[in-house]
Amino acid sequence: MNNALIIGQYVPGNSLVHRLDPRTKITIIFFFVIVVFVANNVPSYGIVTAFALGAMFTSRVPIRYILKGLTPVWFLIIFTFILHLFVTKEGTLFFDFFIFEFYTGGVIQGFAISLRFFLLILVTSLLTLTTTPIEITDAIEEMLDPLKKVRFPVHELALMMSISLRFIPTLMQETEKISKAQSSRGVDFRTGPIKERIKAVVPLLVPLFVSAFKRAEELAMAMEARGYQGGEGRSKLRALKVEKRDILIYLLFAAVVAGLFITRSYG
Amino acid sequence: MKTRTLVVNSVLAALYVAVSAVIQPIGFSSIQFRIPEMFNHLVVFNKKFFFGIIFGVFLTNLLFSPMRLYDIVFGVGHSAISLGLIILLAKYIKNIWVLLVANTIIFSFNMFIIAFELKLALGFPFLLTWQTTAIGELVVMAIGIPIIFALNKQVKFNQML
């Protein structure tokens, strides 16, 4: 098994962030992603940075996990900074050599957008680092509950998510196993002409699809044999409950949002 | 939703995530051939695969994407709109090859949604980003056509649900 099999990179813990109701985390992160765009000056960026870093330290998730999650986007963050350095022609010219003209506005904008992007990734990563996929499923089901009134299949969606999460590790192992089995028969996925490498995908996907759909067939039959009839009247093993700490976090976030708008207007 | 449809779509979503995570994209220059991308063609063979594909995109972004919430909203939006359009088109066009080509064009054109995401999150120039992402999508989806067709001969997607 490789590192990719650590689904969602959940890091077990007992911190305040871990213990928050998953609905609270999803709601706050959802609104954070929107309000982060309100920041437009040093004090307002200071507020969103303080909130994001505060959440990170409170979660007690080891820094190395967070940095590992950021590995794929460092390039994007640096590229964004460089792009704005070249494209933005505002402020005063501070570097002029050959065709390279850098303005102070480019540095400021590049830095601001890169910082905003970094904060977005940091905060959204905290959701999956401190919440199990099953908790996220439960939270989504609860949050979509009002849609049942318009006959939206909320229970079915939650069940689909649970079944998928159950099968992901199994199918990952299966994919690796078939990939290795085909490699041992001489199929080469990594080298050779592109055409051959793409053709090599077919003998990998055929057994994978056949095996996956066979599993689905068996599960569907087992569910029907046990009388599964949808979500009507079903009770739950895990019940979500909003605690005092959730309300406090909502109030804190409301203060952050208010601070953000005040500093934007007067900062 | 029938139990069988529900379960098959759930397993398809899991397969989408598994293949995304385990199989490295086959790259040539700046265009990457991501195998799950061609799962988008499944809806041409059977419209009931819509939910499985959408869920696959959702879960892959939730579990592995560094841009998580952004990719969930825009990625799922892009797939849902494109798949919805091809399902609509399939009511009038019955030729599978034409539908596969139309699907490729629709997905590529709709990359403006992803270009908008990148403009919003990173301030990338919209038109240039739309062009480059659309070309990438066009190539991978076009390569996916013969592969998914070959796969259908063995797996028979249209008879599955």
Side-chain angles (χ1 to χ4, degrees):
Chain A
M1 270 199 236
N2 63 21
N3 287 337
L5 296 192
I6 306 162
I7 299 287
Q9 293 126 20
Y10 172 69
V11 180
N14 196 30
S15 72
L16 174 67
V17 182
H18 281 87
R19 282 181 286 133
L20 282 176
D21 187 299
R23 290 169 296 181
T24 306
K25 287 188 253 188
I26 292 174
T27 309
I28 286 180
I29 288 169
F30 178 79
F31 284 107
F32 181 85
V33 167
I34 297 168
V35 298
V36 77
F37 286 94
V38 172
N40 68 340
N41 52 28
V42 175
S44 53
Y45 268 104
I47 288 177
V48 282
T49 308
F51 178 78
L53 293 180
M56 183 186 89
F57 288 117
T58 313
S59 74
R60 292 195 211 139
V61 173
I63 301 285
R64 67 173 190 280
Y65 281 100
I66 293 167
L67 290 177
K68 202 178 146 200
L70 288 170
T71 314
V73 288
W74 281 123
F75 168 77
L76 211 54
I77 291 173
I78 294 165
F79 177 75
T80 305
F81 180 78
I82 294 170
L83 182 84
H84 285 282
L85 203 60
F86 277 95
V87 172
T88 310
K89 306 280 179 203
E90 289 165 15
T92 49
L93 182 73
F94 73 93
F95 185 83
D96 187 4
F97 177 71
F98 193 44
I99 53 164
F100 301 108
E101 285 181 349
F102 297 152
Y103 291 78
T104 49
V107 177
I108 293 167
Q109 201 172 344
F111 183 74
I113 291 178
S114 302
L115 175 66
R116 190 175 68 197
F117 186 58
F118 169 78
L119 295 176
L120 284 170
I121 291 168
L122 176 65
V123 171
T124 50
S125 299
L126 282 179
L127 175 68
T128 43
L129 283 167
T130 62
T131 322
T132 61
I134 292 294
E135 282 177 329
I136 296 175
T137 309
D138 287 345
I140 291 173
E141 186 176 3
E142 292 280 330
M143 290 168 89
L144 293 179
D145 201 57
L147 292 177
K148 277 183 184 167
K149 284 180 185 155
V150 289
R151 304 185 74 179
F152 188 77
V154 176
H155 170 76
E156 278 81 358
L157 284 185
L159 182 66
M160 271 182 76
M161 199 160 157
S162 306
I163 295 173
S164 297
L165 290 169
R166 155 68 187 82
F167 275 98
I168 290 168
T170 315
L171 292 176
M172 276 168 129
Q173 278 180 315
E174 191 93 2
T175 311
E176 278 210 332
K177 205 168 79 182
I178 296 171
S179 168
K180 281 178 183 162
Q182 299 293 30
S183 295
S184 70
R185 290 180 178 91
V187 176
D188 194 354
F189 300 105
R190 289 188 177 83
T191 54
I194 293 293
K195 199 181 161 194
E196 294 304 315
R197 280 157 67 189
I198 290 168
K199 265 166 93 181
V201 168
V202 180
L204 168 74
L205 289 181
V206 172
L208 200 54
F209 267 94
V210 171
S211 139
F213 287 129
K214 197 176 157 227
R215 284 174 197 277
E217 198 78 41
E218 284 168 1
L219 178 62
M221 271 188 354
M223 283 169 74
E224 277 169 357
R226 284 165 175 79
Y228 171 76
Q229 287 176 333
E232 283 303 307
R234 284 182 76 89
S235 57
K236 282 189 158 188
L237 178 65
R238 299 171 298 270
L240 297 176
K241 197 177 165 210
V242 175
E243 305 273 355
K244 268 186 194 166
R245 56 176 171 260
D246 295 293
I247 297 176
L248 282 173
I249 294 295
Y250 277 122
L251 290 174
L252 174 73
F253 185 67
V256 166
V257 175
L260 207 50
F261 277 100
I262 292 167
T263 48
R264 183 188 162 91
S265 307
Y266 304 104
Chain B
M1 204 187 288
K2 279 184 187 168
T3 307
R4 197 162 178 274
T5 310
L6 189 145
V7 175
V8 168
N9 274 295
S10 312
V11 174
L12 175 66
L15 193 60
Y16 190 107
V17 179
V19 173
S20 304
V22 177
I23 312 269
Q24 295 297 314
I26 301 167
F28 39 107
S29 72
S30 60
I31 294 162
Q32 298 278 309
F33 176 64
R34 296 171 300 275
I35 295 172
E37 207 70 47
M38 67 182 196
F39 282 30
N40 294 328
H41 285 312
L42 289 177
V43 83
V44 169
F45 298 97
N46 197 329
K47 65 177 180 185
K48 285 181 183 168
F49 285 127
F50 174 87
F51 293 105
I53 300 164
I54 295 291
F55 243 77
V57 176
F58 171 79
L59 286 175
T60 307
N61 287 324
L62 177 73
L63 300 174
F64 300 111
S65 163
M67 283 173 71
R68 276 182 188 87
L69 212 60
Y70 267 93
D71 280 341
I72 288 174
V73 173
F74 290 93
V76 169
H78 171 246
S79 300
I81 292 168
S82 308
L83 294 173
L85 283 173
I86 200 71
I87 289 172
L88 203 68
L89 214 60
K91 285 186 178 173
Y92 306 100
I93 302 168
K94 298 295 167 201
N95 186 306
I96 293 286
W97 284 100
V98 174
L99 282 173
L100 286 169
V101 172
N103 200 26
T104 304
I105 294 167
I106 289 171
F107 263 89
S108 309
F109 179 82
N110 285 350
M111 286 306 276
F112 73 86
I113 298 170
I114 306 300
F116 180 67
E117 174 197 358
L118 292 171
K119 181 180 166 50
L120 198 68
L122 297 164
F124 281 7
F126 176 73
L127 281 176
L128 185 70
T129 313
W130 183 12
Q131 270 173 21
T132 48
T133 51
I135 292 169
E137 186 76 356
L138 190 77
V139 173
V140 295
M141 292 279 290
I143 293 171
I145 293 176
I147 296 180
I148 208 82
F149 207 80
L151 203 59
N152 183 52
K153 277 187 183 167
Q154 307 277 335
V155 188
K156 306 264 186 291
F157 294 117
N158 48 348
Q159 294 166 17
M160 201 158 274
L161 286 171

